[in-house]
Amino acid sequence: QFVMLVYADENHSNRQEKNQLDYHHRVLEWFGHYLKGEPAEPWITEGKSVIERNNEIKRDDEFKRR
């Protein structure tokens, strides 16, 4: 299983606290599911394509500029 997390305005590490927290929670959910047998969160099973996520980021950026 492979998951790639992409955060707006971030490169190879998360500098923004909100993104650090989101990443931390997702890591816990990932290992909870795959190592402890907990139910998978929708982001794990359904995910989004890179194209969908890039489009989301662009929409967010356009909204912020308004």
Side-chain angles (χ1 to χ4, degrees):
Q1 183 72 2
F2 172 79
V3 171
M4 180 173 132
L5 300 174
V6 178
Y7 293 91
D9 301 323
E10 300 280 16
N11 292 315
H12 294 286
S13 62
N14 292 327
R15 295 179 181 262
Q16 297 176 43
E17 184 178 1
K18 66 178 183 167
N19 294 338
Q20 292 171 352
L21 291 172
D22 180 74
Y23 179 80
H24 174 75
H25 289 287
R26 288 178 189 262
V27 167
L28 293 176
E29 292 169 349
W30 173 271
F31 284 111
H33 174 64
Y34 285 103
L35 296 180
K36 296 168 63 178
E38 297 172 358
E41 295 293 326
W43 71 267
I44 295 172
T45 57
E46 298 167 21
K48 293 182 184 174
S49 73
V50 172
I51 294 170
E52 289 173 316
R53 183 64 180 134
N54 284 339
N55 288 339
E56 264 185 9
I57 291 169
K58 287 177 187 174
R59 284 193 301 273
D60 290 347
D61 287 345
E62 289 172 2
F63 182 76
K64 288 177 188 176
R65 283 186 239 144
R66 292 180 187 173

